[in-house]
Amino acid sequence: MTYFEELEIGDHEELGRHTFTETEMIAFARLYDPQPFHVDPEAAKRSHFGALVASGWHTASMWMKFFIAYNVGSARALEAKGGRMLEVGPSPGFTNLRWLKPVYAGDTITYATEAREKIATRGRPQWGLLKAYNSGTNQHGDLVIDFESAVLVARRGG
C-alpha cells in the first residue's frame, strides 16, 4: 500500500486468487461454521445449494489473507526503493458485507479492492482514513462476495 496522499480514488488492485477445495472447505467449516452444507457432502446435496459450499466466513477470510499479503509486498517494495515501511493501521470496520453466490469446490475466486473515499483525520494527523469497495469474483465473472471497508493509512511525514 502506498501513502495516504498518493492513493487515488478509483485505484483498483487485484489482491490475489484462490481455488477452493472440498478438503479445505470442510476443515474450515468444522472449526468455524459447522453447518451441514459446509461439512457434509451428502447433506449438502440435499440442501438448496445442491452440493458442498464454502462458508461465507471462509471466502471473507481469504480476502483478508490476500489483503495483508498485498500490503506486506507493497511495503517491502517501497522499502527496497529507499522508502520507509508503511504502516497500515487498524480498521474501524466493514459494512454491507454480502455473500451473493455460493462458492463450490473447484471455484477460483479473484479478490480485489478499490479506493472509494479518503478522509483526513483530525485527531491523528499521521493517519488518513481510506474507505474501499472489496470484492471476490469467481471464474465465471460472477460476484460472490463484496463489502465496504475502512482502514487507517500512514500519511507522508507522519
Side-chain angles (χ1 to χ4, degrees), residues 124-158:
R124 294 184 178 167
Q126 72 274 29
W127 297 104
L129 184 69
L130 173 66
K131 292 191 174 184
Y133 171 75
N134 307 284
S135 61
T137 305
N138 69 17
Q139 69 275 12
H140 306 295
D142 299 324
L143 193 60
V144 299
I145 184 174
D146 72 352
F147 60 95
E148 296 164 4
S149 64
V151 66
L152 291 170
V153 178
R155 295 186 75 166
R156 236 181 227 295

Side-chain angles (χ1 to χ4, degrees), residues 50-65:
L52 195 74
V53 295
S55 165
W57 296 113
H58 189 179
T59 61
S61 295
M62 292 307 300
W63 178 90
M64 182 57 84
K65 175 184 174 182

Side-chain angles (χ1 to χ4, degrees), residues 24-35:
E24 75 167 298
M25 289 164 48
I26 291 171
F28 182 96
R30 281 187 178 144
L31 289 171
Y32 306 110
D33 190 1
Q35 298 181 72

Side-chain angles (χ1 to χ4, degrees), residues 5-16:
E5 291 82 1
E6 296 163 357
L7 291 167
E8 297 288 334
I9 302 304
D11 281 353
H12 180 89
E13 298 293 338
E14 183 176 306
L15 302 174

Side-chain angles (χ1 to χ4, degrees), residues 27-51:
F28 182 96
R30 281 187 178 144
L31 289 171
Y32 306 110
D33 190 1
Q35 298 181 72
F37 44 82
H38 296 322
V39 298
D40 181 345
E42 290 306 312
K45 285 180 188 175
R46 296 185 301 273
S47 76
H48 59 283
F49 295 116

Side-chain angles (χ1 to χ4, degrees), residues 13-27:
E13 298 293 338
E14 183 176 306
L15 302 174
R17 49 180 66 129
H18 179 73
T19 300
F20 286 76
T21 68
E22 182 174 297
T23 301
E24 75 167 298
M25 289 164 48
I26 291 171

